[in-house]
Coordinates of all heavy atoms in Angstrom, one line a residue:
M1 N 169.5 156.0 103.8 CA 170.9 155.6 103.6 C 171.4 155.2 105.0 O 171.5 156.0 105.9 CB 171.6 156.7 103.0 CG 173.0 156.3 102.4 SD 172.5 155.3 100.9 CE 174.3 154.9 100.6
P2 N 171.9 154.0 105.2 CA 172.5 153.7 106.5 C 173.8 154.3 106.8 O 174.5 154.6 106.0 CB 172.6 152.2 106.5 CG 172.8 151.8 105.0 CD 172.1 152.9 104.2
T3 N 174.0 154.5 108.0 CA 175.4 155.1 108.5 C 176.1 153.8 109.0 O 175.7 152.8 109.3 CB 175.2 156.1 109.7 OG1 174.5 155.5 110.7 CG2 174.4 157.3 109.1
E4 N 177.4 154.0 109.1 CA 178.4 153.0 109.5 C 178.0 152.7 111.1 O 178.0 153.8 111.8 CB 179.8 153.4 109.3 CG 180.1 153.4 107.7 CD 179.9 152.1 107.0 OE1 180.2 151.1 107.6 OE2 179.4 152.2 105.9
G5 N 178.1 151.5 111.4 CA 178.0 151.2 112.9 C 176.6 151.1 113.3 O 175.9 150.1 113.0
Y6 N 176.0 152.0 114.0 CA 174.7 151.9 114.8 C 173.6 152.3 113.8 O 173.7 153.3 113.0 CB 174.7 152.9 115.9 CG 173.3 152.9 116.6 CD1 173.0 151.9 117.4 CD2 172.6 154.0 116.5 CE1 171.7 151.9 118.0 CE2 171.3 154.1 117.0 CZ 170.9 153.1 117.8 OH 169.7 153.1 118.5
L7 N 172.6 151.4 113.7 CA 171.4 151.6 112.9 C 170.2 151.9 113.9 O 170.0 151.1 114.7 CB 171.0 150.4 112.1 CG 172.0 150.2 110.9 CD1 171.4 148.9 110.1 CD2 172.0 151.3 109.9
D8 N 169.6 153.0 113.7 CA 168.5 153.4 114.6 C 167.2 152.7 114.1 O 166.7 152.9 113.0 CB 168.4 154.8 114.5 CG 167.3 155.4 115.6 OD1 167.0 154.5 116.5 OD2 166.9 156.5 115.5
T9 N 166.8 151.7 114.9 CA 165.5 151.0 114.5 C 164.3 151.5 115.5 O 163.3 150.8 115.4 CB 165.7 149.5 114.7 OG1 166.1 149.2 116.1 CG2 166.7 149.0 113.8
R10 N 164.5 152.6 116.1 CA 163.4 153.1 116.9 C 162.3 153.5 116.0 O 162.5 154.2 115.0 CB 163.7 154.1 117.8 CG 164.6 153.8 118.9 CD 165.1 154.9 119.8 NE 166.0 155.6 118.9 CZ 166.6 156.8 119.3 NH1 166.3 157.4 120.5 NH2 167.5 157.5 118.6
G11 N 160.9 153.1 116.3 CA 159.8 153.6 115.6 C 159.5 152.7 114.3 O 158.6 152.9 113.7
K12 N 160.4 151.6 114.2 CA 160.2 150.7 113.0 C 159.2 149.7 113.5 O 159.0 149.4 114.7 CB 161.6 150.1 112.6 CG 162.6 151.1 112.3 CD 162.3 151.6 110.8 CE 163.5 152.6 110.5 NZ 163.3 153.1 109.2
Q13 N 158.8 148.8 112.5 CA 157.8 147.8 112.8 C 158.6 146.7 113.4 O 158.1 146.0 114.4 CB 157.1 147.4 111.6 CG 156.1 146.3 111.8 CD 155.3 145.9 110.5 OE1 155.6 146.5 109.4 NE2 154.5 145.0 110.6
Y14 N 159.7 146.3 112.9 CA 160.6 145.3 113.4 C 161.9 145.8 114.0 O 162.5 146.7 113.4 CB 160.9 144.2 112.3 CG 159.7 143.7 111.6 CD1 159.3 144.0 110.3 CD2 159.0 142.7 112.2 CE1 158.3 143.5 109.7 CE2 157.9 142.2 111.6 CZ 157.5 142.5 110.3 OH 156.5 142.0 109.7
L15 N 162.3 145.2 115.0 CA 163.5 145.7 115.7 C 164.6 144.7 115.3 O 165.2 144.0 116.1 CB 163.4 145.8 117.2 CG 162.4 146.7 117.7 CD1 162.2 146.7 119.2 CD2 162.8 148.1 117.3
A16 N 164.9 144.6 114.0 CA 165.9 143.6 113.5 C 166.7 144.3 112.4 O 166.2 145.3 111.8 CB 165.1 142.4 113.0
I17 N 167.8 143.8 112.2 CA 168.8 144.3 111.2 C 168.9 143.2 110.2 O 169.3 142.0 110.5 CB 170.1 144.8 111.8 CG1 169.8 146.0 112.8 CG2 171.1 145.1 110.8 CD1 171.0 146.4 113.5
G18 N 168.9 143.4 108.9 CA 169.2 142.5 107.9 C 170.4 142.9 107.0 O 170.8 144.1 107.1
I19 N 170.9 142.1 106.2 CA 172.0 142.4 105.3 C 171.6 142.3 103.8 O 170.9 141.2 103.4 CB 173.2 141.4 105.6 CG1 173.7 141.6 107.1 CG2 174.4 141.7 104.6 CD1 174.8 140.7 107.4
C20 N 171.8 143.3 103.1 CA 171.6 143.3 101.6 C 172.4 142.3 101.0 O 173.6 142.1 101.1 CB 171.8 144.7 101.1 SG 171.7 144.7 99.3
N21 N 171.7 141.4 100.2 CA 172.6 140.1 99.6 C 173.3 140.8 98.3 O 174.1 139.8 97.9 CB 171.5 139.2 99.1 CG 170.9 138.4 100.3 OD1 169.6 138.5 100.4 ND2 171.6 137.7 101.0
R22 N 173.2 141.8 97.9 CA 174.0 142.4 96.8 C 175.3 143.2 97.3 O 176.3 143.0 96.9 CB 173.2 143.2 95.9 CG 172.2 142.5 95.1 CD 172.3 142.4 93.6 NE 171.4 141.5 93.1 CZ 170.3 141.8 92.5 NH1 169.9 143.0 92.5 NH2 169.5 140.9 91.9
R23 N 175.0 144.1 98.3 CA 176.1 145.0 98.7 C 176.7 144.5 99.9 O 177.7 145.1 100.4 CB 175.6 146.3 98.8 CG 175.2 147.0 97.6 CD 175.0 148.4 97.7 NE 174.5 149.1 96.5 CZ 174.4 150.3 96.2 NH1 174.6 151.1 97.2 NH2 174.0 150.7 95.1
S24 N 176.1 143.6 100.6 CA 176.5 143.1 102.0 C 176.6 144.3 102.9 O 177.6 144.4 103.7 CB 177.8 142.3 101.9 OG 177.7 141.3 101.1
R25 N 175.6 145.1 103.0 CA 175.5 146.3 103.9 C 174.4 146.0 104.8 O 173.4 145.5 104.5 CB 175.4 147.6 103.2 CG 176.6 147.9 102.4 CD 176.4 149.1 101.4 NE 176.0 150.3 102.2 CZ 175.5 151.4 101.7 NH1 175.5 151.4 100.3 NH2 175.2 152.4 102.4
K26 N 174.4 146.6 106.0 CA 173.3 146.5 107.0 C 172.3 147.5 106.8 O 172.5 148.6 106.5 CB 173.9 146.8 108.5 CG 174.8 145.7 109.0 CD 175.2 145.9 110.3 CE 175.7 147.2 110.8 NZ 176.2 147.4 112.1
F27 N 171.1 147.0 107.0 CA 169.7 147.9 106.8 C 168.9 147.4 107.9 O 168.8 146.2 108.3 CB 169.2 147.7 105.5 CG 170.0 148.3 104.3 CD1 170.9 147.6 103.6 CD2 169.8 149.7 104.1 CE1 171.6 148.2 102.6 CE2 170.5 150.3 103.0 CZ 171.4 149.6 102.3
P28 N 168.0 148.3 108.3 CA 166.8 147.7 109.1 C 166.0 146.7 108.2 O 165.9 146.9 106.9 CB 165.9 149.0 109.4 CG 166.9 150.1 109.2 CD 167.9 149.7 108.3
L29 N 165.3 145.9 108.9 CA 164.7 144.7 108.1 C 163.6 145.3 107.3 O 163.3 144.7 106.2 CB 164.2 143.7 109.1 CG 163.7 142.3 108.5 CD1 164.9 141.7 107.7 CD2 163.3 141.5 109.6
E30 N 162.9 146.4 107.6 CA 161.9 146.9 106.9 C 162.3 147.4 105.4 O 161.6 147.6 104.6 CB 161.2 148.1 107.6 CG 160.4 147.7 108.8 CD 159.7 148.8 109.4 OE1 160.2 150.0 109.3 OE2 158.9 148.6 110.2
E31 N 163.6 147.9 105.4 CA 164.1 148.5 104.1 C 164.7 147.5 103.2 O 165.3 147.8 102.1 CB 165.2 149.5 104.6 CG 164.6 150.7 105.3 CD 165.7 151.6 105.7 OE1 166.8 151.6 105.2 OE2 165.4 152.4 106.6
L32 N 164.5 146.2 103.5 CA 165.0 145.1 102.5 C 163.8 144.5 101.8 O 162.7 144.3 102.4 CB 165.7 144.0 103.3 CG 167.0 144.4 103.9 CD1 167.6 143.3 104.6 CD2 168.0 145.0 102.8
Y33 N 163.9 144.3 100.6 CA 162.8 143.9 99.7 C 163.1 142.6 99.0 O 164.2 142.4 98.7 CB 162.3 145.0 98.6 CG 162.1 146.3 99.3 CD1 163.0 147.3 99.4 CD2 160.7 146.5 99.8 CE1 162.8 148.5 100.0 CE2 160.5 147.8 100.4 CZ 161.5 148.8 100.5 OH 161.2 149.9 101.1
K34 N 162.1 141.8 98.6 CA 162.3 140.6 97.8 C 162.6 141.0 96.4 O 161.9 141.8 95.8 CB 161.1 139.7 97.9 CG 161.0 139.1 99.2 CD 159.7 138.1 99.1 CE 159.5 137.5 100.4 NZ 158.3 136.6 100.6
D35 N 163.7 140.5 95.8 CA 164.1 140.8 94.5 C 163.1 140.1 93.5 O 162.9 138.9 93.6 CB 165.5 140.4 94.2 CG 166.0 140.9 92.8 OD1 165.5 142.0 92.4 OD2 166.8 140.3 92.2
P36 N 162.4 140.8 92.6 CA 161.5 140.1 91.7 C 162.0 139.0 90.8 O 161.4 138.0 90.5 CB 160.8 141.2 90.9 CG 161.5 142.5 91.2 CD 162.5 142.2 92.4
N37 N 163.3 139.3 90.4 CA 163.9 138.2 89.5 C 164.6 137.1 90.2 O 164.7 136.1 89.7 CB 165.0 139.0 88.6 CG 164.4 140.0 87.7 OD1 163.2 139.7 87.2 ND2 164.9 141.1 87.4
S38 N 165.0 137.3 91.4 CA 165.6 136.2 92.3 C 164.9 136.4 93.6 O 165.3 136.9 94.5 CB 167.1 136.5 92.4 OG 167.8 136.5 91.2
P39 N 163.8 135.5 93.8 CA 163.0 135.6 95.0 C 163.7 135.3 96.3 O 163.2 135.7 97.3 CB 161.8 134.6 94.7 CG 161.8 134.3 93.4 CD 163.2 134.6 92.8
G40 N 164.8 134.7 96.2 CA 165.4 134.2 97.5 C 166.4 135.3 98.0 O 166.9 135.3 99.2
L41 N 166.5 136.4 97.2 CA 167.4 137.5 97.7 C 166.6 138.6 98.4 O 165.4 138.9 98.0 CB 168.2 138.1 96.5 CG 169.0 137.3 95.7 CD1 169.7 138.0 94.5 CD2 170.1 136.8 96.7
R42 N 167.2 139.2 99.3 CA 166.6 140.4 100.1 C 167.6 141.5 99.8 O 168.7 141.4 100.2 CB 166.5 140.2 101.6 CG 165.6 139.0 101.9 CD 164.1 139.3 101.8 NE 163.7 140.2 102.7 CZ 162.4 140.4 103.0 NH1 161.5 139.7 102.4 NH2 162.0 141.4 103.9
V43 N 167.1 142.5 99.1 CA 167.9 143.6 98.7 C 167.4 145.0 99.2 O 166.2 145.1 99.4 CB 168.2 143.6 97.2 CG1 169.0 142.3 96.7 CG2 166.9 143.7 96.4
C44 N 168.3 145.9 99.1 CA 167.9 147.3 99.5 C 167.2 147.9 98.3 O 167.2 147.5 97.2 CB 169.1 148.1 99.9 SG 170.4 148.4 98.7
R45 N 166.7 149.1 98.5 CA 165.9 149.9 97.5 C 166.8 150.2 96.3 O 166.4 150.1 95.1 CB 165.3 151.1 98.0 CG 164.7 152.1 97.1 CD 163.4 151.6 96.6 NE 162.4 151.6 97.6 CZ 161.2 151.1 97.3 NH1 160.9 150.6 96.1 NH2 160.3 151.0 98.3
E46 N 168.1 150.5 96.5 CA 169.0 150.9 95.4 C 169.3 149.7 94.5 O 169.5 149.9 93.3 CB 170.3 151.4 96.0 CG 170.1 152.7 96.8 CD 171.2 153.0 97.7 OE1 172.2 152.2 97.8 OE2 171.1 154.0 98.5
D47 N 169.3 148.4 95.0 CA 169.7 147.3 94.3 C 168.5 146.5 93.8 O 168.6 145.5 93.1 CB 170.6 146.4 95.1 CG 171.8 146.9 95.4 OD1 172.4 147.8 94.7 OD2 172.4 146.7 96.5
L48 N 167.3 147.1 94.0 CA 166.0 146.4 93.6 C 165.9 146.5 92.0 O 166.0 147.5 91.5 CB 164.8 147.0 94.3 CG 163.5 146.3 94.1 CD1 163.7 145.0 94.8 CD2 162.5 147.1 94.9
D49 N 165.8 145.3 91.3 CA 165.7 145.3 89.9 C 164.2 145.4 89.6 O 163.3 145.1 90.3 CB 166.2 143.8 89.4 CG 167.8 143.7 89.5 OD1 168.4 144.8 89.7 OD2 168.3 142.7 89.5
Q50 N 164.0 145.8 88.2 CA 162.7 145.7 87.7 C 162.5 144.2 87.3 O 163.4 143.5 86.9 CB 162.6 146.6 86.6 CG 162.6 148.1 87.0 CD 162.5 149.0 85.6 OE1 162.4 148.5 84.5 NE2 162.3 150.3 86.0
L51 N 161.1 143.9 87.2 CA 160.8 142.5 86.9 C 161.1 142.3 85.3 O 160.8 143.1 84.6 CB 159.3 142.3 87.1 CG 158.8 140.9 86.8 CD1 159.5 139.8 87.7 CD2 157.3 140.8 87.0
D52 N 161.8 141.3 85.1 CA 162.2 141.0 83.7 C 161.1 140.2 83.1 O 160.7 139.2 83.5 CB 163.5 140.1 83.7 CG 164.0 139.8 82.3 OD1 163.5 140.5 81.3 OD2 164.9 139.0 82.2
P53 N 160.4 140.8 81.9 CA 159.3 140.2 81.4 C 159.6 138.8 80.7 O 158.7 138.0 80.5 CB 158.8 141.2 80.3 CG 159.9 142.0 80.1 CD 160.8 142.0 81.3
W54 N 160.8 138.6 80.4 CA 161.2 137.2 79.9 C 161.2 136.1 80.9 O 161.2 135.0 80.5 CB 162.6 137.3 79.2 CG 162.6 138.1 77.9 CD1 162.9 139.4 77.8 CD2 162.2 137.6 76.7 NE1 162.7 139.8 76.5 CE2 162.3 138.8 75.8 CE3 161.8 136.4 76.2 CZ2 162.0 138.6 74.4 CZ3 161.5 136.4 74.9 CH2 161.5 137.4 74.0
R55 N 161.1 136.4 82.2 CA 161.0 135.4 83.2 C 159.6 135.1 83.5 O 159.4 134.1 84.1 CB 161.7 135.9 84.4 CG 163.1 136.0 84.4 CD 163.7 136.5 85.7 NE 165.2 136.7 85.6 CZ 166.0 135.8 86.1 NH1 165.6 134.7 86.6 NH2 167.3 136.1 85.9
E56 N 158.6 135.8 82.9 CA 157.2 135.4 83.1 C 156.8 134.2 82.1 O 157.4 134.1 81.2 CB 156.2 136.6 82.9 CG 156.6 137.8 83.8 CD 155.6 138.9 83.5 OE1 154.9 138.9 82.5 OE2 155.7 139.9 84.3
P57 N 155.8 133.4 82.5 CA 155.4 132.4 81.7 C 154.8 133.0 80.4 O 154.2 134.1 80.3 CB 154.3 131.7 82.5 CG 153.9 132.6 83.5 CD 155.0 133.5 83.8
P58 N 154.9 132.2 79.3 CA 154.3 132.8 78.0 C 152.7 132.9 78.1 O 152.1 132.1 78.8 CB 154.8 131.7 77.0 CG 155.0 130.5 77.8 CD 155.5 130.9 79.1
R59 N 152.3 133.7 77.3 CA 150.8 133.9 77.1 C 150.3 132.6 76.5 O 150.8 131.9 75.6 CB 150.5 135.1 76.3 CG 150.9 136.4 76.9 CD 150.4 137.6 76.1 NE 150.2 137.3 74.8 CZ 149.7 138.2 73.9 NH1 149.5 139.5 74.2 NH2 149.5 138.0 72.6
T60 N 149.0 132.3 76.8 CA 148.3 131.2 76.3 C 147.8 131.6 75.0 O 147.2 132.7 74.8 CB 147.2 130.7 77.2 OG1 146.2 131.9 77.4 CG2 147.7 130.2 78.5
P61 N 148.0 130.8 73.9 CA 147.5 131.1 72.6 C 146.0 131.2 72.6 O 145.3 130.4 73.3 CB 148.0 130.0 71.7 CG 148.3 128.9 72.5 CD 148.6 129.5 73.9
E62 N 145.4 132.1 71.6 CA 144.0 132.2 71.5 C 143.5 131.1 70.7 O 144.1 130.7 69.7 CB 143.7 133.6 71.0 CG 144.1 134.6 71.9 CD 143.8 136.0 71.2 OE1 143.2 136.1 70.2 OE2 144.2 137.1 71.8
Q63 N 142.3 130.6 71.0 CA 141.7 129.5 70.1 C 140.8 130.3 69.2 O 139.6 130.7 69.5 CB 140.8 128.6 71.0 CG 141.6 127.8 72.0 CD 142.7 126.9 71.4 OE1 142.4 126.4 70.2 NE2 143.8 126.6 71.9
I64 N 141.3 130.5 68.0 CA 140.4 131.3 67.0 C 139.9 130.2 65.9 O 140.8 129.5 65.4 CB 141.3 132.3 66.3 CG1 141.8 133.3 67.4 CG2 140.5 133.0 65.2 CD1 142.7 134.4 66.8
A65 N 138.6 130.2 65.7 CA 138.0 129.3 64.6 C 137.2 130.2 63.7 O 136.7 131.2 64.0 CB 137.2 128.2 65.3
L66 N 137.2 129.7 62.4 CA 136.4 130.4 61.4 C 134.9 130.2 61.6 O 134.6 129.0 62.1 CB 136.8 130.0 60.1 CG 138.3 130.3 59.8 CD1 138.6 129.6 58.3 CD2 138.6 131.7 59.7
R67 N 134.1 131.2 61.4 CA 132.7 130.9 61.5 C 132.1 130.0 60.5 O 131.3 129.1 60.8 CB 131.9 132.3 61.4 CG 132.1 133.1 62.6 CD 131.2 134.2 62.5 NE 131.3 135.1 63.8 CZ 130.6 136.1 64.0 NH1 129.7 136.6 63.1 NH2 130.6 136.8 65.2
Y68 N 132.4 130.1 59.2 CA 131.9 129.3 58.1 C 133.0 128.7 57.4 O 133.3 129.2 56.3 CB 131.0 130.1 57.3 CG 129.8 130.8 58.0 CD1 129.9 132.2 58.2 CD2 128.8 130.0 58.6 CE1 128.9 132.8 59.0 CE2 127.8 130.7 59.2 CZ 127.8 132.1 59.5 OH 126.8 132.7 60.1
P69 N 133.6 127.7 57.8 CA 134.9 127.1 57.2 C 134.4 126.5 55.9 O 133.3 125.8 55.8 CB 135.4 126.1 58.1 CG 134.3 125.8 59.1 CD 133.4 127.0 59.1
R70 N 135.2 126.6 54.8 CA 134.9 126.0 53.5 C 135.9 124.9 53.3 O 137.0 125.0 53.6 CB 135.0 127.0 52.4 CG 134.0 128.1 52.6 CD 134.1 129.0 51.4 NE 133.2 130.2 51.6 CZ 133.2 131.3 50.9 NH1 134.2 131.5 50.0 NH2 132.3 132.3 51.0
P71 N 135.4 123.8 52.8 CA 136.3 122.7 52.5 C 137.3 123.1 51.2 O 136.9 123.9 50.5 CB 135.5 121.5 52.1 CG 134.2 122.1 51.6 CD 134.0 123.4 52.4
D72 N 138.5 122.5 51.3 CA 139.4 122.8 50.3 C 138.9 122.2 49.0 O 138.3 121.0 48.9 CB 140.7 122.2 50.5 CG 141.4 123.0 51.7 OD1 141.0 124.1 51.9 OD2 142.3 122.3 52.3
E73 N 138.9 122.8 47.9 CA 138.5 122.4 46.5 C 139.7 122.1 45.7 O 140.6 122.8 45.7 CB 137.6 123.3 45.9 CG 136.2 123.5 46.6 CD 135.3 124.4 46.0 OE1 135.7 124.8 44.7 OE2 134.3 124.9 46.5
V74 N 139.7 121.1 44.9 CA 140.8 120.7 44.0 C 140.6 121.6 42.8 O 139.7 121.8 42.2 CB 140.7 119.2 43.6 CG1 141.8 119.0 42.7 CG2 140.7 118.4 44.8
L75 N 141.8 122.3 42.6 CA 141.9 123.2 41.4 C 142.5 122.4 40.2 O 143.4 121.9 40.3 CB 142.7 124.4 41.7 CG 142.2 125.4 42.8 CD1 143.2 126.5 43.0 CD2 140.9 125.9 42.4
S76 N 141.8 122.4 39.0 CA 142.2 121.7 38.0 C 142.8 122.5 36.9 O 142.6 123.7 36.8 CB 141.2 120.6 37.5 OG 140.0 121.3 37.2

C-alpha cells in the first residue's frame, strides 16, 4: 500500500513511478499490471479485474459426421 508523498523504490527492478489508471494513485512501476479486460490500462493489484469470459473469441464448432449415414426415405 503506498504512502502519501515519497515512494521507496530501493531494491526494485525499475526505479520508476507509475499512476494507476483507475484510482490515479502513485505506485512503483512493478506494482502496476495490465488489466485483462482493457489491455491499455495499467492498474494496481486492488483494481485488477478478472478476465471476462464473454470477451474471449467463441469456440470453434466441432465437425461431427455420422459413420453410416442413411438416405431419407419417403414415407407413404
Side-chain angles (χ1 to χ4, degrees):
M1 196 70 187
T3 58
E4 296 298 321
Y6 175 73
L7 289 178
D8 188 16
T9 57
R10 288 179 288 176
K12 303 280 184 182
Q13 183 177 2
Y14 301 107
L15 297 177
I17 294 174
I19 297 177
C20 175
N21 290 117
R22 294 240 171 98
R23 293 189 184 191
S24 299
R25 292 173 54 191
K26 294 190 303 184
F27 287 93
L29 194 58
E30 290 180 344
E31 295 180 14
L32 293 177
Y33 305 95
K34 291 182 181 178
D35 189 28
N37 294 325
S38 301
L41 295 181
R42 302 286 290 195
V43 295
C44 60
R45 173 70 68 185
E46 299 163 359
D47 294 331
L48 191 61
D49 292 337
Q50 293 181 353
L51 181 61
D52 186 10
W54 286 98
R55 292 180 181 260
E56 293 180 358
R59 297 186 334 181
T60 56
E62 298 176 6
Q63 299 294 332
I64 300 174
L66 299 175
R67 285 189 175 182
Y68 305 108
R70 297 182 183 165
D72 291 336
E73 295 180 11
V74 180
L75 297 176
S76 46

